Amino acid sequence: MLQSFTGTFDAGGLRSLEPECDHGNRTIPDASLRKFWAVLESPSPVELRIRTAYHAGDRALALRLISDYAISAGTVLPR
C-alpha cells in the first residue's frame, strides 16, 4: 500500500515526518526549514528504518532513506 507523507528538513537532516492527511497544509514557523512530500510503501521495513533513525537522532540517515526509497518525492515551495 502507498502512503503520502509531508515533512520538514534542514541542513542537519529530517526534522519532521507525518502522514499527509494529518497535516498536509500546516504552515512552517521556522523559515530555515524546508517542506517536502514523499510517497512510500507503508507499512514497510524502510518506513520502520526511517522512523528508527529519526527517533535515534540520526536525522541525516532518515532523510537519506526517504530520498533513496521514496516512490516519488519533491520539495514544496513556500507561499
Side-chain angles (χ1 to χ4, degrees), residues 10-78:
D10 62 12
L14 186 67
R15 299 295 274 178
S16 68
L17 180 67
E18 301 183 29
E20 186 176 26
C21 60
D22 290 348
H23 303 288
N25 293 319
R26 177 187 288 179
T27 59
I28 302 171
D30 187 341
S32 68
L33 297 178
R34 305 247 343 248
K35 188 173 182 180
F36 72 92
W37 58 271
V39 177
L40 299 165
E41 289 283 340
S42 179
S44 75
V46 171
E47 182 184 5
L48 179 60
R49 288 178 58 200
I50 292 166
R51 293 190 184 283
T52 300
Y54 177 76
H55 291 298
D58 195 345
R59 297 182 300 122
L61 174 60
L63 188 60
R64 190 169 44 254
L65 288 167
I66 291 169
S67 176
D68 290 348
Y69 291 98
I71 293 168
S72 187
T75 56
V76 177
L77 298 175

